[in-house]
């Protein structure tokens, strides 16, 4: 009996030691644990940070029109935003001090080619050349997105923009200017950002430009002047898919061998999780992942839309010919993902019984939780920050495993991941954002775990480098490592504690912060 108790005690001791070592190993992660050449960065996009909306020959985008008509949250605009157009040198200096390997930004189409096609604006060309050169001078890689939602208003007016297949030719001509002008220095290109969300916000729900929808669909409280929610989201996505494929084809045919870059696409990548273990809810979550990720990844990898989309959407979903299938299949060197957590869903087969259905009804699911509510429990009540998103690093792991097993383990760049907060109603600036540091720590650790499990993750970018005009929430939900005082005429920048933490990690420090008592912060 004594011997048995002694053996049991020793076993418990060994398990305790093992557990301590595992926890310590996780806590002691540094960037050196990532594969050689792994890139850490942060990002933004043109409309969200540049400002200078009508300066030096730039013409309006559909987002300028939308905000000027008062449709954005709080009737805000990005006319000035963070004013990066005038302050890019200061921002690059801050990036360098932070230790970023790379900065993700986008090209404003209507700044570079004001009318959407035709003459190139020399001032726009000069700005992006200067930005790229400044980044490289400080040892920072430019990761450049060609299209990030800001279609030139001229093309919207001329032929209804993304609804018309003519846009594919104009996308390709725009990309040609970008490759020719910047490709000697830009080695990482994204064709389109989140083409799996723009068709829904702009053409089904109608809460984003160009505000198209049809009754009885559309976001609550929104009445669209025109649109067809049942058909247009599928048509727009189809055109974006082929615009992407055309840009990739051009790059591979004309530039890639000489310039030596890589080109891909970036998708919004919420992970959809079943609300229960019931088979129908499990199937609903799989269906949602097909409807969102598979909408683009399935044709890019396999040459056709997901079978469940073809079955549920029917003739509304454009069919691909054999020639079109060959054109889109394999048209990427990497897949970018923007990942913020999980959404719980349940089966709702009643949706399919409707005679008239939009994209959301074709999904045949209902949301149990909403975006930026990764947990089924509201845990963030301090300071009334109802929108602050809970972390769900398991969602990133499941997403990467899904890409690994279902889509042949493509090279992956995590282009957006971050935690937002609502501004202090009193107007005070937020310096202490430890919640954001913790959020990023557990996601970076999840990325490393996935890499060790065989996932082909190449880079990780924080959204966002600095506070930006958020497309949904304007200035009322901020993600920046660097804060921006929007009450100051000069848009003063200030480093938050998360910026100092990220800088420490990028300069070789441990992933988890060390407390004054010597213990490491836990997730």
């Amino acid at each position: 009996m004594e011997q048995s108790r002694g053996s049991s005690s020793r076993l418990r001791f060994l398990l305790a030691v093992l557990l301590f070592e595992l926890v310590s190993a996780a806590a002691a992660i540094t960037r050196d644990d990532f594969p050689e050449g792994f890139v850490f960065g942060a990002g933004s996009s043109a409309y969200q940070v540049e400002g200078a909306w009508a300066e030096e020959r730039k013409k309006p985008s559909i987002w300028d029109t939308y905000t000027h008509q008062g449709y954005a949250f709080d009737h805000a605009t990005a006319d000035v935003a963070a004013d990066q157009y005038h302050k890019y040198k200061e921002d690059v200096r801050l990036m360098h001090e932070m230790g970023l390997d790379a900065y993700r930004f986008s090209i404003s189409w209507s700044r570079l080619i004001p009318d959407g096609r035709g003459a190139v604006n020399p001032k726009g060309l000069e700005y992006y050349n200067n930005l790229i050169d400044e980044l490289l001078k400080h040892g920072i890689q430019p990761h450049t997105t060609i299209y990030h939602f800001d279609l030139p208003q001229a093309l919207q007016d001329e032929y209804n923009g993304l609804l018309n297949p003519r846009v594919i030719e104009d996308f390709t001509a725009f990309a040609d200017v970008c490759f020719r002008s910047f490709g000697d220095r830009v080695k990482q290109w994204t064709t389109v950002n989140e083409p799996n969300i723009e068709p829904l916000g702009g053409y089904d729900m109608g809460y984003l430009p160009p505000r198209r929808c049809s009754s009885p669909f559309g976001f609550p409280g929104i009445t669209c002047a025109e649109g067809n929610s049942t058909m247009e989201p599928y048509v727009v996505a189809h055109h974006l898919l082929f615009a992407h494929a055309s840009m990739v084809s051009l790059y591979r045919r004309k530039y890639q061998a000489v310039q030596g870059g890589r080109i891909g696409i970036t998708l919004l990548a919420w992970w959809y999780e079943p609300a229960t273990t019931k088979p129908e809810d499990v199937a609903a979550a799989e269906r949602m992942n097909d409807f969102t990720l598979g909408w683009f990844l399935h044709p890019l990898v396999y040459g056709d839309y997901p079978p469940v989309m073809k079955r549920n959407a029917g003739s509304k979903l454009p069919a691909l010919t054999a020639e079109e299938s060959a054109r889109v299949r394999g048209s990427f060197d990497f897949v970018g993902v923007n990942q913020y957590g999980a959404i719980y869903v349940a089966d709702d087969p009643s949706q399919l019984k409707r005679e008239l259905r939009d994209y959301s009804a074709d999904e045949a699911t209902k949301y149990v939780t909403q975006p930026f509510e990764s947990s089924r429990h509201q845990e963030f009540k301090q300071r009334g920050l109802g929108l602050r998103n809970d972390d769900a690093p398991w969602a990133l792991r499941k997403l990467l495993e899904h890409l690994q097993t279902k889509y042949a383990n493509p090279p992956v760049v995590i282009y957006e991941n971050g935690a937002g907060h609502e501004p202090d109603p009193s107007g005070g600036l937020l310096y202490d954002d430890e919640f954001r540091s913790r959020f990023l720590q557990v996601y970076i650790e999840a990325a490393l775990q996935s890499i060790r499990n065989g996932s082909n993750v190449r880079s990780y970018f924080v959204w966002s480098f600095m506070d930006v005009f958020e497309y949904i929430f304007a200035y009322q939900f901020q993600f920046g490592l660097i804060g921006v005082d929007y009450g100051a005429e000069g848009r003063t920048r200030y480093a938050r504690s998360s910026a100092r933490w990220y800088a420490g990690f990028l300069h070789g420090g441990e992933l988890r912060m060390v407390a004054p008592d010597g213990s490491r912060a836990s997730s």
Side-chain angles (χ1 to χ4, degrees):
M1 182 67 73
E2 287 296 327
Q3 184 177 3
S4 175
R5 280 200 295 267
S7 298
S8 178
S9 297
R10 284 194 296 274
L11 179 59
R12 286 197 298 271
F13 174 75
L14 289 172
L15 287 173
V17 170
L18 178 61
L19 180 61
F20 174 80
E21 289 178 348
L22 287 172
V23 171
S24 297
I29 290 169
T30 72
R31 66 171 301 166
D32 289 339
D33 290 292
F34 286 79
E36 185 177 355
F38 192 90
V39 170
F40 285 98
S44 70
S45 84
Y47 181 76
Q48 295 177 275
V49 296
E50 283 182 2
W53 81 275
E55 290 186 32
E56 298 185 322
R57 303 182 190 176
K58 180 187 176 294
K59 289 189 177 180
S61 73
I62 57 173
W63 268 94
D64 292 308
T65 301
Y66 173 84
T67 59
H68 292 168
Q69 291 174 346
Y71 292 127
F73 194 87
D74 268 357
H75 306 292
T77 76
D79 289 0
V80 179
D83 200 24
Q84 190 169 84
Y85 189 78
H86 298 109
K87 297 173 75 72
Y88 71 91
K89 288 188 176 183
E90 176 186 349
D91 291 340
V92 172
R93 178 180 58 78
L94 291 170
M95 295 173 205
H96 177 67
E97 291 172 358
M98 191 181 292
L100 297 187
D101 300 325
Y103 176 56
R104 177 197 183 216
F105 66 95
S106 71
I107 305 290
S108 167
W109 190 339
S110 59
R111 190 181 301 284
L112 189 63
I113 307 175
D115 292 315
R117 74 162 72 86
V120 174
N121 175 14
K123 287 295 186 179
L125 196 65
E126 179 183 7
Y127 170 70
Y128 290 112
N129 273 319
N130 288 343
L131 173 60
I132 291 166
D133 288 346
E134 192 72 13
L135 288 167
L136 292 171
K137 185 171 77 174
H138 287 82
I140 300 168
Q141 303 172 19
H143 282 229
T144 306
T145 301
I146 295 170
Y147 178 71
H148 198 123
F149 298 153
D150 48 352
L151 187 80
Q153 183 64 41
L155 301 185
Q156 184 67 33
D157 293 340
E158 181 181 351
Y159 55 67
N160 264 339
L162 301 179
L163 272 174
N164 195 310
R166 289 173 59 187
V167 80
I168 298 171
E169 181 180 348
D170 286 334
F171 261 112
T172 309
F174 170 40
D176 198 10
V177 173
C178 293
F179 299 147
R180 183 173 66 248
S181 303
F182 314 126
D184 59 327
R185 289 152 293 158
V186 173
K187 305 304 176 185
Q188 195 85 1
W189 293 98
T190 295
T191 55
V192 183
N193 177 75
E194 296 184 352
N196 56 339
I197 191 65
E198 187 171 18
L200 307 183
Y203 296 85
D204 184 356
M205 305 295 286
Y207 62 85
L208 297 178
R211 283 178 58 88
R212 295 181 64 90
C213 63
S214 58
S215 179
F217 310 107
F219 197 76
I222 288 179
T223 301
C224 298
E226 53 188 354
N228 183 337
S229 295
T230 64
M231 298 287 296
E232 289 184 3
Y234 295 110
V235 172
V236 166
H238 194 70
H239 294 161
L240 287 170
L241 174 66
F242 279 89
H244 157 79
S246 180
M247 289 186 275
V248 171
S249 176
L250 170 71
Y251 187 67
R252 289 177 170 174
R253 184 176 67 253
K254 190 173 178 182
Y255 295 102
Q256 192 168 41
V258 175
Q259 295 180 351
R262 296 165 59 79
I263 190 165
I265 193 169
T266 295
L267 304 174
L268 182 62
W270 291 101
W271 177 252
Y272 291 90
E273 184 75 4
T276 73
T277 56
K278 294 177 183 177
E280 56 267 33
D281 288 345
V282 172
E286 293 174 354
R287 188 164 60 247
M288 283 298 299
N289 286 316
D290 278 342
F291 259 80
T292 53
L293 287 168
W295 197 2
F296 283 81
L297 280 182
H298 209 275
L300 291 175
V301 174
Y302 301 112
D304 202 358
Y305 290 115
V308 69
M309 290 192 73
K310 295 170 70 175
R311 186 165 59 248
N312 286 14
S315 61
K316 296 182 296 183
L317 187 68
L320 274 69
T321 66
E323 185 273 331
E324 289 172 332
S325 176
R327 204 189 314 164
V328 299
R329 188 191 301 116
S331 60
F332 64 96
D333 297 326
F334 66 89
V335 173
V337 295
N338 298 342
Q339 217 290 318
Y340 291 93
I343 299 172
Y344 288 88
V345 294
D347 186 40
D348 187 5
S350 66
Q351 301 269 18
L352 295 178
K353 296 177 183 178
R354 296 183 180 183
E355 185 175 345
L356 190 64
R357 298 199 306 269
D358 67 345
Y359 172 95
S360 297
D362 290 338
E363 293 170 332
T365 59
K366 59 184 175 183
Y367 281 30
V368 176
T369 60
Q370 297 300 316
F372 297 108
E373 184 191 336
S374 293
S375 169
R376 280 171 286 187
H377 306 286
Q378 291 282 357
E379 297 178 0
F380 292 109
K381 296 297 183 183
Q382 58 270 51
R383 296 178 60 225
L385 302 181
L387 281 171
R388 197 160 85 188
N389 45 312
D390 192 5
D391 60 70
W394 55 267
L396 177 61
R397 290 193 297 269
K398 286 192 172 186
L399 168 68
L400 295 174
E401 182 181 3
H402 181 70
L403 298 179
Q404 188 176 347
T405 57
K406 187 161 185 173
Y407 295 109
N409 202 19
V412 173
V413 176
I414 301 169
Y415 264 136
E416 290 186 22
N417 177 242
H421 72 275
E422 294 181 25
D424 187 335
S426 70
L429 304 180
L430 178 70
Y431 286 88
D432 182 7
D433 61 342
E434 185 181 346
F435 72 91
R436 180 171 288 117
S437 300
R438 290 197 305 269
F439 185 101
L440 299 175
Q441 288 161 15
V442 296
Y443 274 92
I444 290 172
E445 184 174 339
L448 180 59
Q449 290 169 346
S450 294
I451 291 169
R452 289 172 171 170
N453 288 330
S455 182
N456 196 6
V457 182
R458 305 290 183 87
S459 307
Y460 173 91
F461 286 68
V462 175
W463 183 268
S464 51
F465 167 66
M466 64 199 306
D467 288 343
V468 306
F469 173 94
E470 290 292 340
Y471 282 116
I472 304 296
F473 305 109
Y475 302 108
Q476 295 306 310
F477 200 38
Q478 295 294 288
F479 288 78
L481 296 165
I482 300 294
V484 177
D485 183 357
Y486 286 108
E489 185 177 351
R491 297 301 197 263
T492 308
R493 278 81 162 123
Y494 62 96
R496 295 193 170 112
S497 60
S498 60
R500 293 191 293 273
W501 163 77
Y502 197 41
F505 173 68
L506 296 183
H507 285 95
E510 293 182 5
L511 180 66
R512 303 291 172 82
M513 296 176 292
V514 179
D517 63 1
S519 63
R520 291 183 177 87
S522 65
S523 61

